[in-house]
Amino acid sequence: MSLFGLGKKKEVKEPSCCCGSNVEGVCCVKVLGSGCKSCHALYENAKQAVSETGLNIEVEYITDMEKVMEYGVMSMPALVVNDKVVAMGKVLKAEEVKKYLV
């Protein structure tokens, strides 16, 4: 038996996305919001940006406040890419969303 974990082999994990898939790049895009006009506008702009970049992913629109609070978002709408909040409190245009997708 070795002390302090010496001699143990470290497991090498394959890169995985928040969705559990082994892909490089963007695999998850979510819009967090309350269902208001601004939140819906960001959702539509995010869908447009994903479509224009040729990504084969679906943009998820989350309005469940418990799930929104898990991300620590204090102002909405918010954009989440690969489970990281990249923007909050403003409606990004499709061109602005694309910057987070490439």
Side-chain angles (χ1 to χ4, degrees):
M1 181 182 237
S2 65
L3 295 174
F4 307 110
L6 298 175
K8 288 186 179 180
K9 292 182 180 179
K10 290 185 179 181
E11 289 184 38
V12 177
K13 293 184 178 181
E14 302 226 357
S16 64
C17 180
C18 54
C19 303
S21 59
N22 290 329
V23 295
E24 291 185 28
V26 177
C27 66
C28 303
V29 176
K30 301 173 186 174
V31 172
L32 310 178
S34 61
C36 68
K37 184 178 179 179
S38 296
C39 299
H40 190 71
L42 177 58
Y43 174 64
E44 292 299 322
N45 292 346
K47 287 194 317 184
Q48 179 183 345
V50 166
S51 174
E52 289 177 2
T53 55
L55 294 171
N56 190 23
I57 57 175
E58 186 177 332
V59 178
E60 190 176 350
Y61 188 25
I62 298 176
T63 57
D64 181 351
M65 284 302 132
E66 285 185 30
K67 290 182 181 179
V68 169
M69 295 310 286
E70 289 176 9
Y71 287 94
V73 172
M74 300 308 261
S75 58
M76 292 179 270
L79 180 67
V80 177
V81 177
N82 287 357
D83 243 10
K84 293 180 185 165
V85 178
V86 296
M88 69 173 118
K90 58 185 172 181
V91 178
L92 300 174
K93 296 178 182 171
E95 290 299 318
E96 295 171 308
V97 174
K98 285 183 192 180
K99 294 176 186 176
Y100 297 108
L101 303 179
V102 292

